[in-house]
């Protein structure tokens, strides 16, 4: 049975303006690889309702899971929860359980849970909450869409809570090997290796350092036997090139 | 006249597997902001022809410019040039000018320009070349699509060559200010500020450090007068909150 598939949607002007380097996609990618969910696509869109709605609907119809990052805070530009509700065509409002969680942040919730903060308790109808161990304000899952915060520490905490609760596939194993030959020399034999091992994804990432040209070859597969066979093939390839072992 | 618009398309399994943190999108975003081209969307897709073709065609019909990163090297998984040709419905082959540029890398091009390396001289019909000051193998522009390397040093060099050759818009100016109050306190007045300055995009990015809670408020606009007015409004907002100046 093939692994479940997934897409990441990063929401926020700060990513597209270059103010913020997105590290959440990379964190999610590594987490999903470890539990056998294949991340197939990533997108970033601005804080614009129609853009969020269109991207969520395109991605949720195509992949088993969609993970979003950003736009669930208390400010005017935090429009993700409302956009998700619009994408699913459901209502949204302050929910008692989410409000109760937020209230634990404050000595005097009646006074301190102002309208801006209460925005963080707005949850689309039918969603379940995602725990936020860092700053309480929850994320949520609706259908196959998991809505999480953009602040990296909070995103990481939410993914950490969510990941063990997802149906896992076969973890993707990987083997990587540095070959100290120019990529243009490695490429021909590597294409033959790739053709001989169709169940293994083979990538080649060139670099140059003080020792000269080299490349990192990465083998990836959810099939452990296929990966082992390709690894043996790679060892033979390296020996054939006369490269240092 | 509104600024030109753009999308970024990152191509490569290594991004979606989490092996590689994408920094090219951030570099492009900052470069485009400085020359007044609005980056509106970013996507990452795997090394799969149909995925690349579909993304390129979706993005090039919607934005003034599309910038791609990755998949133009010598190995079997470098399929971007062929995919771009397929997206445009044009032919592709080794081109003499690209071959001549590659040849300058080698003492004995007839021997060293092997079939793998010659893949890097495959250019879709009708494209113009993008200079690569780092490692010679060129990128190319076809229609409104600019195809560049994934290796960050090469991507940066190609963007540096390309950017001054693009029709620029009004640079987006920005002002940012740290406010040492919790985001939930800033949010209400900030929403009023945003409503009063519709030509200015206002973002609020919370943080917590040893001094407590705070947020970085960022004002962005291509309209310098509107930006100055919003900046004055922000100063008044900070004073109203009693936050340290």
């Amino acid at each position: 049975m093939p692994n479940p598939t997934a897409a990441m949607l990063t929401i926020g002007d700060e990513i597209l303006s270059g103010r913020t380097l997105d590290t959440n996609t990379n964190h999610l990618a590594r987490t999903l690889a470890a539990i056998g969910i294949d991340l197939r696509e990533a997108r970033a869109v601005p804080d614009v309702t129609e853009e969020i709605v269109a991207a969520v609907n395109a991605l949720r119809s195509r992949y088993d899971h969609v993970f979003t990052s950003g736009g669930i805070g208390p400010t005017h530009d935090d429009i993700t929860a409302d956009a998700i509700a619009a994408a699913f065509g459901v209502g949204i409002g302050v929910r008692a359980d989410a409000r109760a969680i937020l209230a634990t942040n404050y000595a005097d919730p009646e006074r301190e849970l102002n309208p801006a903060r209460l925005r963080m308790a707005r949850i689309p109808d039918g969603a379940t909450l995602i725990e936020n161990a860092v700053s309480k304000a929850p994320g949520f899952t609706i259908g196959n869409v998991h809505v999480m915060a953009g602040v990296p520490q909070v995103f990481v905490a939410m993914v950490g809570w969510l990941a063990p609760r997802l149906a896992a596939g076969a973890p993707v194993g990987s083997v990587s090997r540095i070959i100290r030959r120019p990529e243009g020399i490695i490429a021909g034999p590597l294409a033959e290796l790739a053709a001989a091992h169709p169940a293994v994804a083979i990538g080649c990432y060139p670099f140059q350092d003080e020792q000269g040209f080299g490349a990192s070859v990465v083998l990836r597969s959810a099939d452990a036997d296929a990966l082992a066979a390709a690894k043996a093939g790679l060892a033979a390839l390296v020996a054939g090139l006369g490269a240092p072992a």
Side-chain angles (χ1 to χ4, degrees), chain A:
Chain A
M1 194 164 131
N3 280 351
T5 60
M8 169 74 170
L9 177 62
T10 306
I11 298 164
D13 292 352
E14 70 277 21
I15 302 299
L16 294 169
S17 73
R19 175 189 177 278
T20 301
L21 174 69
D22 168 37
T23 58
N24 290 340
T25 299
N26 185 260
H27 176 77
L28 181 74
R30 287 182 287 109
T31 302
L32 295 182
I35 60 173
I37 296 177
D38 294 345
L39 184 63
R40 295 277 181 87
E41 181 172 352
R43 296 193 190 184
V45 296
D47 297 310
V48 174
T49 299
E50 303 73 47
E51 298 292 332
I52 301 169
V53 170
V56 165
N57 282 336
L59 296 173
R60 74 186 175 100
S61 66
R62 187 158 185 216
Y63 302 103
D64 296 321
H65 295 280
V66 178
F67 300 85
T68 82
S69 161
I72 61 169
T75 61
H76 64 284
D77 57 335
D78 288 310
I79 60 173
T80 295
D82 287 86
I84 298 288
F88 278 85
V90 301
I92 181 169
V94 171
R95 214 165 77 179
D97 56 350
R99 188 186 194 287
I101 292 168
L102 282 179
T104 63
N105 268 336
Y106 306 105
D108 180 359
E110 287 309 312
R111 191 177 58 83
E112 295 181 274
L113 260 186
N114 62 27
R117 285 171 169 153
L118 268 178
R119 282 174 59 79
M120 295 189 284
R122 289 169 60 79
I123 306 292
D125 296 346
T128 57
L129 301 185
I130 295 175
E131 188 174 298
N132 168 358
V134 172
S135 56
K136 297 287 181 6
F140 58 84
T141 294
I142 179 169
N144 60 341
V145 180
H146 312 284
V147 177
M148 295 178 283
V151 174
Q153 302 92 306
V154 182
F155 182 81
V156 167
M158 288 180 168
V159 169
W161 183 88
L162 183 63
R165 290 168 169 82
L166 301 173
V172 177
S174 72
V175 170
S176 67
R177 179 154 188 168
I178 300 288
I179 304 181
R180 292 207 163 270
R181 285 285 178 275
E183 191 184 25
I185 297 294
I186 300 166
L190 202 62
E192 293 171 24
L193 185 72
H197 299 274
V200 179
I202 303 184
C204 185
Y205 308 103
F207 63 82
Q208 186 175 7
D209 63 15
E210 64 284 353
Q211 296 180 55
F213 291 102
S216 174
V217 173
V218 179
L219 315 180
R220 299 179 71 249
S221 181
D223 178 336
D225 292 339
L227 188 62
K231 183 182 176 185
L234 182 60
L237 182 158
V238 173
L241 289 173

